[in-house]
Amino acid sequence: MASNICVNLLFPCITILHLIFTLARSENYIIHMDLSAMPKVFSNQHSWYESTLSKVTANNNLTSSKIIYTYTNVMNGFCANLSPKEHEALKTSPGYISSIPDLPLKLHTTHSPQFLGLNPFEGAWPASKFGQDVIIGLIDSGVWPESESFNDNGMTKIPSKWKGKLCQFENSNNSSFCNKKLIGARFFNKGLSAKNSNINTTIVNTTRDTNGHGTHTSTTAAGNQVDGASFFGYANGTARGIATLSRVSMYKIVWGQNEDPIAISSDIMAAIDAAISDGVDVLSISLGPTFDLPLNEDPIAIASFAAMEKGIFVSCSAGNDGPDFKTLRNGTPWLTTVAAGTMDREFHATLTLGNGVSLTGWSNYLGNFSASNLPIVFMGLCDNVTELIKVKNNIVVCDDGDIIEQYSYVYQANVVGAVFISNISNFDFFRKEEYSFQDLSYANIFISPIDGEITKSYIKNNSMSASIANMSFKLSIFGTKPAPGVYSSSSRGPSNSCPYVLKPDITAPDTSILAAWPTKLPVLDPVTEVFNKFKFLTGTSTSCPHVAGVGALLKGARVDWSPAAIRSAIMTTSNIYDNTKEHIKDIEKGNEVATPLALGAGYVDPNRALDPGLVYDVGVQDYVNLLCALNFTQKNITTITRSSFNDCSKPSLDLNYPSFIAFFNAGNSSSRAIQEFHRTVTNVGEGQAIYVASIMPVEGYRVSAIPNKLMFNKKNEMLSYKLRIEGPRMTQNNEVAFGYITWQDGKHVVRSPIVVTTTNFNL
Ligand SMILES: *[C@@H]1O[C@H](CO)[C@@H](O)[C@H](O)[C@H]1NC(C)=O
Ligand SMILES: *[C@@H]1O[C@H](CO)[C@@H](O)[C@H](O)[C@H]1NC(C)=O
Ligand SMILES: *[C@@H]1O[C@H](CO)[C@@H](O)[C@H](O)[C@H]1NC(C)=O
Ligand SMILES: *[C@@H]1O[C@H](CO)[C@@H](O)[C@H](O)[C@H]1NC(C)=O
Ligand SMILES: *[C@@H]1O[C@H](CO)[C@@H](O)[C@H](O)[C@H]1NC(C)=O
Ligand SMILES: *[C@@H]1O[C@H](CO)[C@@H](O)[C@H](O)[C@H]1NC(C)=O
Ligand SMILES: *[C@@H]1O[C@H](CO)[C@@H](O)[C@H](O)[C@H]1NC(C)=O
Ligand SMILES: *[C@@H]1O[C@H](CO)[C@@H](O)[C@H](O)[C@H]1NC(C)=O
Ligand SMILES: *[C@@H]1O[C@H](CO)[C@@H](O)[C@H](O)[C@H]1NC(C)=O
Ligand SMILES: *[C@@H]1O[C@H](CO)[C@@H](O)[C@H](O)[C@H]1NC(C)=O
Ligand SMILES: *[C@@H]1O[C@H](CO)[C@@H](O)[C@H](O)[C@H]1NC(C)=O
Ligand SMILES: CC(=O)N[C@H]1CO[C@H](CO)[C@@H](O)[C@@H]1O
């Protein structure tokens, strides 16, 4: 019991993927090859790779191939299990570019559609027909195909562009597990099996979800409507994904059971390769490398470049390693990197004293409490189990103390109900981790110190036997203020792999999202035999599929927009204010105003994203120009772009992005006191428009737009401006200053964040 609480409180539902060390000397390598060096005699890449490999391997027996995967979309190359000697020999083969080790990945572990303002009658839902022609691919732990959220009620036939044929469950291709909602299911475990030959016991050849994560993320993005969903009475109502009618195709790469998931690079690259062949429109990836990798060694960065070129919108989680700066993962310029924000919902309970006074507290108690008019007693710090046992048929009141110990003592004494007086950061832990103290063990309410005084005073004024109270539970309260805020553990920028592009991009709902869960997997941590069709999860894992869902709605409504245009629309129309009309706060940082390094451009608003007015588009060559300016070699760039020639004639760190980050030298250095950024915006509104810039100042800097007026004559016209930031003579080390530039035409508000910090930024 005690450990249950510790786990829930201390680790915000992050499941760590364990790297399994093997004694074998052979290792998996992902090998990049230069396709232009392939001799004409080979009819395809695979046979060239086989031949290349046969020349360097100990047993040059062509029929026992060492190739685990051949990649065709995401890169030119293959994955093979090689001894160190074979690996060295391969490096001298014609066409060899480079190789990267096969590394572990880490998972970034129903009210939300309403909180985002989605409405069946106007806005992004009807404009996109609920995303019905859009296919969302998820790279995750599989699906529970029997979940009601995968029902295909009201769905039209599968779009004809779909090329995915496989529906792989329980060692067979069995289309009876798929339908018009779940249109594809594939698994990838060859890399993992080759790396860990002793892993067979946990790997079954199926896309079935043995973790729960993938069922949750896929139904968050695109679950169909299910009425009467709830979690033991909490958050009761209709559960539905953001893109309610979009199609789901699952690519399972996460293996192992709930508490012990494993995934590696070679499998994710094969999964994204397959998703591209199948024809997905959107990808949702709620996992990332376990440590920072340069862009040319990051499997998700490499594979998603090809996806971006094919017009696929890729949403990735930023990670749950916050609140420190520079903890962000997936800070790749061609991805949409998603941070996590809270919602306006809390779960309340009431304590009614015998004198009629009713007090509201917080509770996650999952049971059905029916006793009434129980005696209530004050038990000090509730730190003596023997004493607690004496009053086990009462409601005990516990003073503010070590809540984890108290909770456990009350449990050991088998007390029927408890009232904990607690001021733990004004109950932020309930807002951050709504599933803390989520169990069936005994009825409990957490009340504030002020309400605690009222309760204690009531008990004191009565003789013990006369003090009575009632408790009621499971009140889902909406509209709590302030909301949203940035979730405490959401990873913060800047991006380590490319600090010149401001990351994260956007914040989406993330705390305590109710979505589908495999009915055969327990819903409580650690494993107790309690099951439910829906479950709450918290983390950027759940905000990422929200943005994938929004991307699907935009793709459905704006079929000709590029992934960068969709990202731009989502960013520039987002909210930076909470429901008290104040700037969104960073919960973990003492409720300070959230910087764009935590919040990105703002909190996603799908209906406004539909009509952004202007977009900042980015083409493939723009990303190449960025890679050139990052001083990547031609070969380094080839490993990302797959192209043997990359035009580096115009290197530039100044990507046409809907946000800005400027680095000034710390101290009194007079160099780089002025920085300029160049941007080109495309008018995606109807016809003529005049946009005027306004600047929300960056403290200590002078920011201006040149020109500050843009006059568009027609739709799709592009105009450019320059953003100039003039720094002070002195810049404080590690200072993060920020402001916004907003272009307005009277109808649209196109806002971009501007961050100014120091070159050696390291907080
Ligand atoms: C090559 O490998 C196959 C399959 O493993 C095996 O049947 C065959 O005997 C091998 N041939 C040689 C020459 O080693
Ligand atoms: C399913 O079909 C594919 C392609 O036809 C095949 O490669 C695979 O071995 C089949 N079996 C399973 C279990 O997926
Ligand atoms: C496909 O799955 C269904 C449902 O589990 C089962 O009834 C059927 O026998 C399976 N068919 C094949 C060919 O495995
Ligand atoms: C796992 O499977 C591989 C190939 O299917 C086999 O070579 C290996 O012996 C198996 N390992 C165990 C521990 O069963
Ligand atoms: C899964 O499939 C692979 C290759 O198709 C096979 O070697 C392995 O034995 C299968 N694993 C199980 C548990 O059936
Ligand atoms: C949820 O439960 C509450 C309290 O039991 C009830 O008042 C409310 O109508 C329910 N909401 C829905 C949508 O079923
Ligand atoms: C609580 O009551 C509901 C409705 O009667 C029931 O479905 C549920 O199983 C009960 N929960 C527990 C934990 O006993
Ligand atoms: C708990 O209370 C009992 C009396 O009920 C007392 O004997 C015991 O010493 C107390 N234990 C602690 C640890 O204070
Ligand atoms: C909680 O109580 C402690 C001890 O009484 C106090 O120091 C702290 O400031 C309180 N915190 C809040 C948020 O009220
Ligand atoms: C308890 O009694 C005191 C003194 O008579 C009074 O001030 C206080 O309001 C009473 N509290 C309650 C909860 O009745
Ligand atoms: C790239 O190299 C040049 C020349 O050495 C240097 O001035 C520049 O700062 C480097 N750029 C980056 C992004 O490191
Ligand atoms: C700038 C950069 O990332 N260069 C890399 C190019 O690739 C080689 C081999 O992977 C790396 O060692 C360089 O660091």
Side-chain angles (χ1 to χ4, degrees):
M1 188 68 236
S3 78
N4 174 5
I5 300 156
C6 292
V7 166
N8 284 347
L9 262 187
L10 301 179
F11 299 98
C13 203
I14 303 168
T15 14
I16 295 174
L17 296 174
H18 297 280
L19 169 55
I20 296 200
F21 294 98
T22 54
L23 295 172
R25 276 177 297 128
S26 289
E27 263 301 331
N28 288 357
Y29 295 94
I30 296 165
I31 294 140
H32 291 277
M33 299 290 286
D34 182 355
L35 206 53
S36 67
M38 182 171 91
K40 294 273 181 298
V41 297
F42 294 103
S43 57
N44 60 49
Q45 299 174 47
H46 186 75
S47 53
W48 179 41
Y49 303 150
E50 289 278 11
S51 156
T52 301
L53 210 49
S54 72
K55 296 193 181 99
V56 303
T57 52
N59 165 22
N60 59 353
N61 181 343
L62 275 180
T63 53
S64 67
S65 171
K66 284 190 156 242
I67 291 185
I68 300 166
Y69 291 116
T70 294
Y71 304 110
T72 52
N73 295 305
V74 296
M75 56 175 267
N76 294 320
F78 58 95
C79 175
N81 191 263
L82 302 173
S83 69
K85 219 171 137 191
E86 291 165 338
H87 184 220
E88 279 312 307
L90 184 68
K91 290 181 180 175
T92 59
S93 301
Y96 170 90
I97 296 179
S98 67
S99 64
I100 54 175
D102 200 1
L103 296 171
L105 302 163
K106 176 174 149 179
L107 278 179
H108 296 153
T109 293
T110 36
H111 168 57
S112 49
Q114 284 76 11
F115 190 51
L116 293 179
L118 288 168
N119 176 317
F121 306 108
E122 58 180 0
W125 265 350
S128 67
K129 301 198 185 81
F130 296 79
Q132 71 170 12
D133 298 326
V134 182
I135 299 154
I136 305 180
L138 290 106
I139 311 293
D140 216 300
S141 64
V143 279
W144 199 259
E146 296 84 4
S147 166
E148 288 168 62
S149 297
F150 293 115
N151 79 69
D152 61 2
N153 299 341
M155 297 193 63
T156 53
K157 70 178 199 327
I158 297 170
S160 56
K161 65 186 175 187
W162 179 240
K163 295 196 275 297
K165 295 275 180 292
L166 298 180
C167 182
Q168 302 180 303
F169 284 96
E170 350 295 37
N171 287 310
S172 70
N173 292 310
N174 188 334
S175 62
S176 71
F177 287 96
C178 289
N179 60 12
K180 287 181 282 190
K181 164 60 74 180
L182 179 64
I183 64 169
R186 304 178 63 169
F187 62 85
F188 300 85
N189 59 21
K190 288 186 190 155
L192 195 60
S193 304
K195 196 178 168 83
N196 309 289
S197 53
N198 56 352
I199 211 163
N200 305 23
T201 49
T202 53
I203 292 191
V204 180
N205 289 330
T206 180
T207 312
R208 185 168 291 283
D209 192 358
T210 49
N211 176 281
H213 192 269
T215 301
H216 200 276
T217 55
S218 54
T219 57
T220 298
N224 209 341
Q225 179 166 331
V226 180
D227 295 325
S230 90
F231 189 70
F232 298 92
Y234 289 93
N236 60 337
T238 299
R240 55 159 77 86
I242 299 294
T244 317
L245 294 182
S246 285
R247 323 296 170 142
V248 170
S249 182
M250 174 58 68
Y251 301 85
K252 177 177 169 75
I253 62 149
V254 178
W255 299 90
Q257 295 298 316
N258 196 4
E259 63 283 9
D260 215 7
I262 337 164
I264 54 170
S265 308
S266 55
D267 289 337
I268 200 174
M269 295 195 65
I272 298 174
D273 207 85
I276 292 172
S277 294
D278 287 349
V280 302
D281 300 302
V282 172
L283 274 172
S284 182
I285 307 176
S286 288
L287 40 79
T290 54
F291 49 88
D292 281 315
L293 293 170
L295 293 171
N296 63 322
E297 294 179 22
D298 178 340
I300 298 176
I302 293 169
S304 61
F305 193 91
M308 173 275 296
E309 281 183 300
K310 290 265 168 29
I312 299 168
F313 175 78
V314 187
S315 174
C316 284
S317 48
N320 301 327
D321 298 321
D324 290 344
F325 288 110
K326 290 176 122 176
T327 49
L328 183 118
R329 297 280 181 265
N330 294 323
T332 301
W334 44 91
L335 294 177
T336 298
T337 314
V338 186
T342 61
M343 291 200 298
D344 66 341
R345 184 192 61 208
E346 284 177 2
F347 298 133
H348 289 184
T350 52
L351 173 70
T352 308
L353 303 173
N355 62 2
V357 171
S358 188
L359 304 169
T360 299
W362 286 259
S363 183
N364 283 336
Y365 174 56
L366 302 179
N368 295 323
F369 187 75
S370 55
S372 62
N373 294 330
L374 285 175
I376 182 168
V377 291
F378 178 59
M379 294 300 291
L381 288 171
C382 291
D383 53 0
N384 188 323
V385 177
T386 321
E387 288 291 310
L388 288 169
I389 289 172
K390 292 181 189 159
V391 293
K392 71 189 180 94
N393 294 322
N394 297 8
I395 296 173
V396 300
V397 178
C398 306
D399 226 344
D400 200 353
D402 182 335
I403 185 61
I404 291 172
E405 277 188 4
Q406 290 175 320
Y407 196 89
S408 161
Y409 290 148
V410 172
Y411 174 73
Q412 288 168 41
N414 204 14
V415 172
V416 36
V419 175
F420 295 104
I421 300 170
S422 176
N423 77 346
I424 305 176
S425 305
N426 291 323
F427 297 95
D428 269 352
F429 68 100
F430 270 106
R431 219 166 284 144
K432 289 187 291 197
E433 316 292 344
E434 276 175 2
Y435 52 89
S436 347
F437 303 104
Q438 194 178 70
D439 60 42
L440 290 157
S441 49
Y442 60 89
N444 60 78
I445 299 181
F446 288 71
I447 62 172
S448 70
I450 293 170
D451 288 349
E453 286 310 317
I454 294 172
T455 307
K456 284 192 281 185
S457 153
Y458 164 72
I459 294 170
K460 210 163 155 194
N461 285 4
N462 291 277
S463 68
M464 219 210 224
S465 58
S467 298
I468 53 164
N470 288 308
M471 302 202 274
S472 63
F473 295 92
K474 306 192 179 178
L475 308 165
S476 304
I477 304 298
F478 299 99
T480 58
K481 291 178 178 173
V486 173
Y487 169 59
S488 53
S489 299
S490 186
S491 289
R492 313 298 205 263
S495 162
N496 289 291
S497 58
C498 184
Y500 310 98
V501 173
L502 178 60
K503 292 279 178 173
D505 295 310
I506 191 77
T507 294
D510 176 14
T511 47
S512 297
I513 303 296
L514 189 67
W517 196 254
T519 44
K520 288 201 177 130
L521 292 182
V523 288
L524 299 182
D525 269 337
V527 180
T528 31
E529 296 294 296
V530 177
F531 305 92
N532 197 55
K533 288 186 281 189
F534 298 87
K535 177 178 154 82
F536 292 110
L537 278 187
T538 299
T540 52
S541 272
T542 55
S543 60
C544 167
H546 266 92
V547 171
V550 173
L553 295 179
L554 293 183
K555 261 206 167 275
R558 306 281 181 255
V559 287
D560 54 341
W561 283 7
S562 70
I566 291 174
R567 176 177 58 201
S568 174
I570 290 173
M571 288 171 69
T572 62
T573 59
S574 62
N575 285 312
I576 56 169
Y577 300 107
D578 64 23
N579 58 8
T580 65
K581 308 235 184 313
E582 304 254 329
H583 200 293
I584 291 173
K585 306 290 194 307
D586 195 333
I587 293 173
E588 194 62 20
K589 299 207 166 172
N591 273 327
E592 278 173 25
V593 167
T595 74
L597 293 173
L599 182 66
Y603 199 86
V604 65
D605 183 341
N607 293 329
R608 290 188 52 222
L610 202 57
D611 185 19
L614 304 176
V615 296
Y616 295 75
D617 209 349
V618 186
V620 173
Q621 183 58 40
D622 299 318
Y623 292 119
V624 172
N625 293 344
L626 176 72
L627 294 170
C628 301
L630 286 168
N631 293 335
F632 279 69
T633 63
Q634 272 292 329
K635 281 187 173 178
N636 291 162
I637 300 175
T638 300
T639 61
I640 297 170
T641 61
R642 309 175 316 290
S643 166
S644 345
F645 174 74
N646 299 286
D647 179 1
C648 275
S649 61
K650 290 185 188 127
S652 171
L653 293 174
D654 188 12
L655 193 66
N656 194 42
Y657 218 74
S659 61
F660 302 84
I661 181 165
F663 294 91
F664 282 80
N665 288 325
N668 58 1
S669 155
S670 58
S671 66
R672 307 190 73 194
I674 295 181
Q675 281 192 47
E676 286 185 348
F677 297 87
H678 298 263
R679 291 291 184 270
T680 299
V681 283
T682 308
N683 175 25
V684 294
E686 291 306 324
Q688 292 186 337
I690 300 174
Y691 280 87
V692 178
S694 60
I695 307 251
M696 192 189 291
V698 180
E699 201 185 326
Y701 298 83
R702 185 155 13 136
V703 180
S704 50
I706 307 153
N708 64 2
K709 193 190 257 186
L710 297 172
M711 296 169 69
F712 293 93
N713 290 314
K714 55 181 193 298
K715 189 171 180 172
N716 293 328
E717 186 179 348
M718 294 158 88
L719 292 175
S720 299
Y721 71 93
K722 210 159 65 178
L723 186 87
R724 179 199 293 245
I725 304 175
E726 289 176 59
R729 281 269 167 268
M730 293 271 277
T731 303
Q732 295 296 317
N733 231 341
N734 291 346
E735 185 185 32
V736 178
F738 66 95
Y740 294 88
I741 175 171
T742 307
W743 292 94
Q744 281 171 280
D745 68 343
K747 190 167 165 234
H748 304 98
V749 176
V750 189
R751 190 194 328 97
S752 293
I754 304 164
V755 168
V756 181
T757 186
T758 48
T759 314
N760 53 351
F761 180 76
N762 196 10
L763 286 174

